[in-house]
Amino acid sequence: VDVLVSYNAGGGRLRTWRNQRPGLGDDLFGMSVPIEEPRSYIGKVLSAATLYGYLYAGRSPRSLHEEWGLTMLEVNE
């Protein structure tokens, strides 16, 4: 997540935002980024990476997200 934010918004902004939000994991930090563009960019890249991992490497979304240290939300139907 840090690499995605830094690429999209710049390293200085990443450092500032991380310092303002100490102790947040990547998933919560990504949702708390105060500018829409990098916040949206994180979701787009992780969604695409999840789909490509499933389609081309046969990996489940759960295994990819665990490897990346992200939490999957359970959906109750």
Side-chain angles (χ1 to χ4, degrees), residues 25-27 63-72:
D26 285 341
D27 46 0
S63 72
L64 290 167
H65 289 206
E66 287 173 356
E67 181 179 319
W68 299 334
L70 300 174
T71 304
M72 287 189 62

Side-chain angles (χ1 to χ4, degrees), residues 1-8 10-11 14 18 24-26 29-30 42:
V1 169
D2 285 359
V3 171
L4 299 176
V5 171
S6 183
Y7 174 78
N8 189 268
L14 169 65
R18 276 291 188 188
L24 288 183
D26 285 341
F29 173 72
I42 294 166

Side-chain angles (χ1 to χ4, degrees), residues 6-68:
S6 183
Y7 174 78
N8 189 268
R13 284 184 173 162
L14 169 65
R15 282 187 295 279
T16 298
W17 295 335
R18 276 291 188 188
N19 289 334
Q20 292 171 347
R21 295 158 181 81
L24 288 183
D26 285 341
D27 46 0
L28 291 176
F29 173 72
M31 292 188 305
S32 75
V33 168
I35 298 176
E36 173 60 29
E37 174 59 30
R39 192 172 55 242
S40 175
Y41 181 73
I42 294 166
K44 290 175 185 176
V45 171
L46 292 178
S47 294
T50 300
L51 288 172
Y52 289 138
Y54 174 74
L55 292 173
Y56 297 110
R59 302 278 306 274
S60 73
R62 181 175 305 282
S63 72
L64 290 167
H65 289 206
E66 287 173 356
E67 181 179 319
W68 299 334

